[in-house]
Amino acid sequence: MVRFEDLRIFVAAADHGSFSAAARELDLTPAVASAALKRLELTLETRLFVRSTRSLRLTGDGERYLEYARSAIATLEAGKNAMARDKTAISGTLSVSIPSDLGRNVLLPWLDDFQQQHSRVSFQVRISDRLADLYRQPVDIAIRYGTPNDSALVALPLAEHNRRVVCASPAYLARHGVPQAPADLRRHNCLSFVLGETLHDRWTFERDGTSTTVPIKGDRVGDDGDLVRRWALAGHGIAYKSRYDVLSDLRAGRLVELLPDYVTEPSPLYLLCVHRMLLSPAVKRMREFLQERFRQFDAG
């Protein structure tokens, strides 16, 4: 296998007619330059130079090979420069996994806006509340609520201070009344969310330093966050949702926040990937873009 550095030494020696001059240009010792040329001749099984104590000239094979060596160096340098440009360009295809409710109703329009600003970026989007297997599935990054269980994942915060919200539609509250304390939820139809084999049927609240966990019951369980939100909007019960999932509904009055004097569970939002090498300029720019959008979303 021909070494790139050997080619550079060969071309420099041919241009200068001297091993020592080639060595000086490339910041090498004459011995290293001479060894490289011997190695190249052995690989090619031919003599490239006619050497004497005072001169160095190309053989016929050396003359013919010089053109290919220059071309190979130019091609490899062009490839190196192209890779360097790619590492700083906001371009390429991003495979993104996003959660159901936030993804459909908030993130998808934002990704459209991002793509309008960066037309060389294309997306492959997977929508699911299950965390994609980032090691096996063709997914570059995932956006998920909660601190990941896998400490090997790179987790970059998008919105660290997000929390859950207890909420219901005005129609449901008109029929069943407004709970005044977490214990009152036992008398209400609460909408449960199941993720994998885990049923989230215990809601936790804190007030004045005291934590309270309430086991809830209801006639509807869903494995899709958007489905649970739609049930709440339709007046079927009380939901315990991430604030970002229902923020637009709360502001529009379609849902009402309940138990506002209690501190609910944190639900921070992260951008996840398996290695920092995957944090391309496009991913970094998208993270900055989303962080700014969440700040604007909070501000209303």
Side-chain angles (χ1 to χ4, degrees):
M1 179 66 70
V2 173
R3 299 184 184 184
F4 175 62
E5 201 61 30
D6 292 354
L7 289 179
R8 292 182 63 212
I9 294 169
F10 166 62
V11 171
D15 289 342
H16 292 288
S18 165
F19 284 148
S20 57
R24 284 194 299 273
E25 178 181 296
L26 300 174
D27 196 23
L28 301 170
T29 66
V32 169
S34 178
L37 290 172
K38 288 179 181 178
R39 185 167 53 241
L40 182 60
E41 288 178 331
L42 285 173
T43 301
L44 298 176
E45 297 181 347
T46 189
R47 292 292 297 273
L48 298 173
F49 289 101
V50 175
R51 302 167 177 82
S52 71
T53 55
R54 295 187 177 182
S55 66
L56 181 74
R57 65 178 178 83
L58 289 166
T59 64
D61 285 345
E63 290 280 3
R64 286 190 292 274
Y65 190 67
L66 181 61
E67 178 184 349
Y68 294 104
R70 291 190 193 280
S71 177
I73 291 172
T75 299
L76 290 171
E77 289 288 352
K80 179 181 177 181
N81 293 335
M83 291 295 291
R85 288 194 300 272
D86 287 345
K87 288 180 180 178
T88 60
I90 309 299
S91 62
T93 299
L94 293 180
S95 180
V96 186
S97 174
I98 58 179
S100 170
D101 198 350
L102 184 77
R104 286 187 174 91
N105 300 298
V106 177
L107 292 178
L108 284 182
W110 291 358
L111 293 182
D112 290 342
D113 293 342
F114 181 84
Q115 201 168 30
Q116 284 195 346
Q117 294 180 19
H118 305 284
S119 59
R120 295 177 61 194
V121 173
S122 59
F123 287 112
Q124 294 178 353
V125 179
R126 296 168 179 250
I127 295 184
S128 173
D129 285 317
R130 289 176 176 267
L131 177 58
D133 187 338
L134 299 179
Y135 298 101
R136 295 185 179 183
Q137 295 182 4
V139 174
D140 298 321
I141 58 174
I143 296 172
R144 285 294 182 273
Y145 288 118
T147 306
N149 294 325
D150 186 350
S151 61
L153 290 175
V154 177
L156 303 178
L158 294 175
E160 291 182 274
H161 304 296
N162 183 53
R163 288 188 172 273
R164 293 189 174 277
V165 173
V166 186
C167 56
S169 71
Y172 175 87
L173 297 174
R175 293 195 307 271
H176 301 284
V178 179
Q180 301 300 314
D184 296 343
L185 294 172
R186 299 172 188 268
R187 299 191 295 272
H188 283 269
N189 193 52
C190 295
L191 307 170
S192 298
F193 176 66
V194 60
L195 183 60
E197 304 302 320
T198 303
L199 175 63
H200 295 270
D201 60 351
R202 297 175 67 84
W203 299 352
T204 299
F205 306 86
E206 184 178 325
R207 185 177 183 183
D208 299 329
T210 301
S211 180
T212 302
T213 299
V214 180
I216 56 92
K217 293 182 179 180
D219 62 4
R220 297 182 186 227
V221 177
D223 68 349
D224 182 285
D226 189 40
L227 175 61
V228 174
R229 185 182 65 87
R230 289 173 183 270
W231 282 340
L233 288 169
H236 295 303
I238 296 176
Y240 193 44
K241 294 283 295 176
S242 162
R243 177 173 172 270
Y244 286 130
D245 288 350
V246 295
L247 185 54
S248 295
D249 298 318
L250 294 172
R251 287 173 173 166
R254 293 185 292 267
L255 292 174
V256 178
E257 182 177 356
L258 307 175
L259 307 174
D261 295 332
Y262 290 83
V263 177
T264 51
E265 295 176 59
S267 186
L269 191 66
Y270 288 92
L271 183 151
L272 308 175
C273 66
V274 297
H275 198 282
R276 289 191 176 273
M277 291 290 287
L278 294 175
L279 298 177
S280 65
V283 171
K284 292 178 181 177
R285 180 66 190 95
M286 190 174 77
R287 182 201 174 198
E288 294 169 356
F289 174 87
L290 292 177
Q291 284 179 313
E292 179 58 29
R293 282 299 176 96
F294 278 115
R295 282 192 286 268
Q296 295 173 2
F297 198 28
D298 278 327

